[in-house]
Amino acid sequence: MAPENFTWVTEFILTGVSDRPELQIPLFLVFLVIYGLTVAGNLGIITLTSIDSRLQTPMYFFLRHLAIINLGNSTAIAPKMLVNFLVTKKTISYYECATQLGGFLVFIVAEVSMLAVMAYDRYVAICNPLLYLVVLSRQICLLLVSLTYLYSFSTAIVTLSSVFSMSYCSSNVINHFYCDTVPLLALSCSDTSFPETFIFVSASTNLVCSMTIVLVSYFNIILSILRIRSSEGRKKAFSTCASHMMAVTVFYGTLLFMYLQPRTSHSLDTDKMTSAFYTLVIPMLNPIIYSLRNKDVKAACERFLSNVCRSFKSM
């Protein structure tokens, strides 16, 4: 096709989670509940870890930022997704698509890094408890979180620049419920070898480095726990990292399921379901995991609610 016959794309059409009309309203209600619980749960974690004096430790500082990341990740995807369940033409403008992809990349890369930071936090707390507040001083905590956000922004900017420096012409139907790199590049009429290589190397490096930190940290944590003589001591030590272990298992399990599928059984429908899980369901589950498995968070929630009740009674 000659260049003068190209129709340059100014907007994209998202196919959504399902193209069956009878499922649009039920799916809208399901994902509305999921997003509502995500917002409520993560705002609750952010509030409690900000105002409760007993939750001013490195562990809860990192948990607060994980909640911010989870809230940002789901908010980058869910509002547009919910609107598209209710409209016939599921369009998204070129720049809105770039903004959504940028937001998603920032928060997903930040989550991968933050889980590794939190694993290191648990390693120091259990393996070097006497040096915990020295090794993870407020300055070090701020530095680790700042580097996490700086790295995620840098990765997102480079990825976004490489994806949207491609030419998009004629076809504009994205087979997904949000703007993601793989279905977007599939529509490009340019040579996509550089962005595809960069995305593959970046995603692989992020995943391998993060998982290595998590595995090494928990290997040492388990060795330290096994050295504790009393069963009560082992139980207490394990309980301090149980919530994070569960969150890490769910998150990395989902990503590994997505990336390690055999090519023969790989499908875009499976990618959609997996993407929905780690962009919408996991951000909803994390506050539940950290609330149900953590006595400090439950106690802080009870104190907060009792203070709110007393405030209303005094009015």
Side-chain angles (χ1 to χ4, degrees):
M1 185 182 290
E4 59 268 18
N5 291 333
F6 282 160
T7 302
W8 299 103
V9 170
T10 57
E11 66 177 16
F12 296 100
I13 298 171
L14 298 165
T15 59
V17 177
S18 172
D19 57 1
R20 295 173 61 182
E22 69 274 14
L23 291 179
Q24 300 307 301
I25 297 301
L27 285 172
F28 168 80
L29 294 173
V30 168
F31 284 105
L32 179 64
V33 170
I34 289 173
Y35 183 57
L37 291 173
T38 299
V39 172
N42 285 290
L43 283 179
I45 293 290
I46 294 166
T47 303
L48 289 176
T49 56
S50 298
I51 66 174
D52 195 289
S53 59
R54 301 184 193 182
L55 300 183
Q56 304 306 308
T57 64
M59 174 183 173
Y60 296 110
F61 177 76
F62 295 134
L63 178 58
R64 183 191 315 156
H65 284 279
L66 180 65
I68 292 170
I69 290 164
N70 284 159
L71 183 60
N73 197 7
S74 58
T75 301
I77 307 298
K80 184 64 178 179
M81 177 189 185
L82 291 170
V83 169
N84 283 344
F85 281 124
L86 304 177
V87 296
T88 305
K89 194 176 182 184
K90 301 172 173 59
T91 58
I92 183 170
S93 72
Y94 184 89
Y95 294 106
E96 190 180 359
C97 181
T99 302
Q100 186 184 60
L101 177 59
F104 164 72
L105 289 171
V106 166
F107 291 114
I108 197 67
V109 173
E111 184 166 5
V112 171
S113 302
M114 188 57 64
L115 288 172
V117 169
M118 292 175 76
Y120 176 69
D121 166 76
R122 292 298 81 205
Y123 159 74
V124 177
I126 292 172
C127 299
N128 297 289
L130 298 178
L131 297 175
Y132 181 50
L133 295 178
V134 176
V135 175
L136 288 172
S137 63
R138 181 165 181 78
Q139 291 77 11
I140 296 297
C141 290
L142 286 170
L143 177 63
L144 289 172
V145 168
S146 299
L147 289 174
T148 294
Y149 288 127
L150 180 62
Y151 176 70
S152 64
F153 272 108
S154 302
T155 304
I157 288 169
V158 176
T159 304
L160 204 61
S161 300
S162 64
V163 170
F164 282 91
S165 65
M166 301 292 102
S167 298
Y168 295 92
C169 39
S170 301
S171 179
N172 67 338
V173 180
I174 299 174
N175 191 8
H176 217 312
F177 59 87
Y178 69 95
C179 289
D180 197 7
T181 52
V182 174
L184 257 175
L185 289 174
L187 302 179
S188 178
C189 48
S190 304
D191 179 13
T192 59
S193 55
F194 172 74
E196 285 176 349
T197 303
F198 176 79
I199 290 165
F200 175 77
V201 171
S202 176
S204 302
T205 302
N206 292 339
L207 196 57
V208 170
C209 289
S210 178
M211 285 189 67
T212 300
I213 293 170
V214 170
L215 290 173
V216 170
S217 296
Y218 275 104
F219 177 76
N220 285 287
I221 286 169
I222 291 169
L223 288 180
S224 293
I225 291 174
L226 291 176
R227 291 193 195 104
I228 299 173
R229 294 183 179 181
S230 68
S231 58
E232 187 64 29
R234 285 195 296 269
K235 184 179 178 181
K236 186 177 180 180
F238 179 77
S239 67
T240 64
C241 58
S243 298
H244 182 256
M245 285 179 67
M246 193 178 299
V248 163
T249 301
V250 172
F251 182 76
Y252 286 118
T254 304
L255 289 184
L256 290 174
F257 172 78
M258 183 172 181
Y259 288 110
L260 297 181
Q261 288 181 83
R263 286 287 179 183
T264 52
S265 62
H266 190 85
S267 71
L268 286 174
D269 288 336
T270 305
D271 280 356
K272 286 182 187 180
M273 295 307 297
T274 310
S275 297
F277 196 81
Y278 70 73
T279 58
L280 299 169
V281 178
I282 288 178
M284 177 194 70
L285 290 177
N286 279 345
I288 297 172
I289 291 170
Y290 280 98
S291 299
L292 294 179
R293 300 286 304 178
N294 193 300
K295 293 179 181 178
D296 292 337
V297 173
K298 286 192 283 188
C301 187
E302 289 171 4
R303 288 193 295 272
F304 176 75
L305 292 175
S306 63
N307 289 336
V308 170
C309 290
R310 278 198 297 270
S311 298
F312 275 114
K313 287 178 182 179
S314 63
M315 290 175 66

